Amino acid sequence: GLRVLNALSYPEGKEETLDQVAAAQINQECDNCYLAMNDDFNTAQVIAALFNLLKPINALKNGQLSPAALGATRFNHLKNTYTTFVQDILGLCEAPIAPPESLLNILLGLYSQAKIEKQYGQVDAIRRQLQQLGIALQDTPAGVQWAHACK
């Protein structure tokens, strides 16, 4: 949810018919978050309300619902409420996405280990799969080097 909302922005100047059903659901679930916290920090209810907000968040992600159909105020209320409760109050964060170079380095380590252990079938399989992704491996005295390859 956080990653999706962080990637979305309100399209300024775009006019759309307000989706009353989605807007009412979003308002209700955002209000439920605050009501649950005021009810002796009822985190179970907060989590339930946040879970219910995932439906419109996923609809925004998939293009089934447009931010403009919510109106700027309601869209920002959804974004701020979800982010505040998930990150600031519950202390959750979105899972980091590893940079591709880090993942490639892990794979190159497995490739090198397979060579040391003379598991040439595994070496060939890794080399072939990387080649299919457009990455060429070259064994050098300094270690394994890689480069973008022509497919």
Side-chain angles (χ1 to χ4, degrees):
L2 281 176
R3 185 174 294 127
V4 170
L5 280 178
N6 287 335
L8 293 173
S9 60
Y10 190 80
E12 296 300 329
K14 185 174 180 182
E15 297 285 327
E16 280 193 29
T17 304
L18 187 65
D19 185 327
Q20 297 289 345
V21 174
Q25 177 192 10
I26 288 168
N27 269 349
Q28 183 62 55
E29 296 304 339
C30 287
D31 289 348
N32 286 345
C33 288
Y34 291 98
L35 291 170
M37 286 308 288
N38 291 333
D39 181 19
D40 206 19
F41 296 102
N42 191 333
T43 55
Q45 286 182 1
V46 169
I47 291 170
L50 292 171
F51 183 77
N52 289 337
L53 285 172
L54 286 176
K55 182 177 180 183
I57 289 170
N58 286 329
L60 287 164
K61 173 187 173 188
N62 298 329
Q64 298 162 324
L65 178 63
S66 161
L70 299 176
T73 302
R74 198 160 291 107
F75 174 77
N76 290 326
H77 184 48
L78 166 64
K79 196 169 184 175
N80 293 335
T81 299
Y82 194 86
T83 301
T84 297
F85 277 87
V86 170
Q87 257 180 232
D88 302 335
I89 295 173
L90 296 176
L92 304 174
C93 60
E94 64 183 80
I97 298 175
E101 293 82 16
S102 297
L103 298 174
L104 184 57
N105 287 335
I106 291 169
L107 193 53
L108 292 179
L110 294 172
Y111 172 87
S112 296
Q113 187 63 37
K115 282 193 76 157
I116 290 168
E117 295 173 0
K118 298 182 182 190
Q119 296 176 356
Y120 298 117
Q122 185 71 19
V123 168
D124 292 341
I126 292 171
R127 184 182 290 276
R128 186 175 44 257
Q129 290 171 4
L130 286 174
Q131 183 70 35
Q132 289 172 350
L133 296 173
I135 297 172
L137 298 183
Q138 183 178 13
D139 294 305
T140 70
V144 180
Q145 304 293 319
W146 67 273
H148 294 286
C150 297
K151 288 186 177 183

